[in-house]
């Protein structure tokens, strides 16, 4: 995909390449003697700084598409471009580097490590990347404070509410300052009030920090708070 014009806050912005571009994506799973086709040539282009909601019925491949966009899965056909770079021929080490530095992930279930405190969960990805313990703790303290968890730094996940756990998960996802945040049903396990709180945080990350956000959701109310709504039909196209 070549140069295109997108719109944000009523202003036309010209980008040469999408931040993420999925082209003709195919994904199938073998079940016994049969084959289950999930994605059948899906297309998705998301431009830098956009927030996008991906909506579809259960079981049609939304999460699979998100995992492929985040280089967590290889497609059976098609290509994934990140900032214009085709990723299918990259080594595992290079794909890991992109995931570690360019992409953050938030899931419906927070997947926090239960034996570590909130601040330790946020520190870990930074230390894996090579940041010192001292610097990782400083940034984690700042992130959790920004998300309203200054008094909960040393609490383990089981001592936190569902909304607090998800805020820690968001802090962990953005700890390495990724340009792209992929969120798979980030409000799906929360009540409406907590869901609105998480959406407010995602909106701020997008509007203030310029983080590109792709969010899978079943909730039309939350989807309407993004720049674009994209619907996946029968695994064949994103429109």
């Amino acid at each position: 995909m070549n140069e295109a014009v997108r719109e944000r806050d009523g202003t036309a912005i010209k980008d040469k390449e999408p931040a993420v571009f999925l082209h003709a994506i195919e994904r199938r799973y073998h079940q016994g003697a049969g084959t289950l086709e999930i994605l059948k040539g899906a297309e998705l282009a998301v431009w830098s700084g956009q927030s996008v909601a991906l909506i579809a019925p259960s079981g049609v491949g939304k999460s699979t598409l998100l995992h492929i966009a985040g280089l967590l899965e290889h497609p059976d056909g098609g290509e994934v471009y990140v900032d214009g770079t085709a990723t299918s021929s990259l080594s595992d080490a290079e794909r890991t580097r992109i995931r570690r530095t360019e992409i953050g992930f938030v899931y419906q279930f927070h997947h926090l490590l239960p034996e570590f405190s909130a601040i330790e969960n946020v520190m870990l990805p930074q230390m894996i990347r090579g940041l010192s313990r001292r610097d990782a703790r400083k940034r984690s303290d700042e992130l959790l404070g920004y998300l309203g968890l200054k008094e909960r730094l040393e609490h383990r996940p089981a001592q936190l509410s569902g909304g607090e756990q998800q805020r820690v998960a968001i802090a962990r996802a953005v700890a390495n300052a990724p340009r792209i945040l992929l969120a798979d049903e980030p409000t799906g396990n929360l009540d409406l009030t907590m869901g609105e709180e998480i959406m407010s945080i995602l909106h701020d990350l997008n509007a203030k920090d310029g983080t590109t956000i792709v969010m899978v959701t079943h909730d039309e109310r939350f989807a309407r708070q993004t720049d674009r709504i994209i619907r996946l039909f029968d695994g064949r196209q994103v429109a």
Side-chain angles (χ1 to χ4, degrees), residues 56-187:
S58 297
V60 301
K62 301 185 303 298
S63 294
T64 298
L65 194 70
L66 204 68
H67 292 167
I68 290 172
L71 309 185
L72 293 172
E73 291 187 36
H74 288 273
D76 294 304
E79 184 61 88
V80 179
Y81 298 87
V82 177
D83 287 331
T85 298
T87 61
S88 61
S89 59
L90 296 179
S91 67
D92 287 342
E94 183 61 16
R95 288 169 64 90
T96 298
R97 184 199 67 78
I98 293 173
R99 285 197 303 270
R100 187 175 294 164
T101 61
E102 300 294 327
I103 303 172
F105 299 89
V106 179
Y107 301 97
Q108 177 176 352
F109 300 100
H110 53 79
H111 296 303
L112 299 174
L113 298 175
E115 66 271 29
F116 292 102
S117 67
I119 195 166
E120 288 170 337
N121 268 279
V122 181
M123 290 169 61
L124 281 171
Q126 300 174 75
M127 294 173 67
I128 290 171
R129 187 180 178 183
L131 209 62
S132 70
R133 183 178 183 85
R134 178 180 178 179
D135 288 343
R137 186 174 183 88
K138 181 176 183 295
R139 175 163 171 75
S140 299
D141 186 295
E142 292 171 350
L143 282 170
L144 291 170
Y146 172 73
L147 296 178
L149 295 171
K150 190 71 172 178
E151 306 303 320
R152 312 290 274 172
L153 302 183
E154 303 300 335
H155 288 65
R156 293 188 178 184
Q159 298 171 304
L160 303 173
S161 69
E164 288 172 337
Q165 291 170 344
Q166 197 65 304
R167 279 184 277 166
V168 175
I170 291 173
R172 180 184 58 185
V174 301
N176 285 329
R179 296 179 55 252
I180 302 163
L181 184 65
L182 305 179
D184 192 356
E185 296 280 3
T187 64

Side-chain angles (χ1 to χ4, degrees), residues 14-33:
K14 186 175 288 186
D15 286 333
K16 290 187 177 300
E17 301 286 352
V20 180
F21 176 36
L22 278 63
H23 174 58
I25 297 297
E26 299 177 5
R27 190 71 172 106
R28 61 189 68 92
Y29 299 97
H30 299 289
Q31 294 185 333

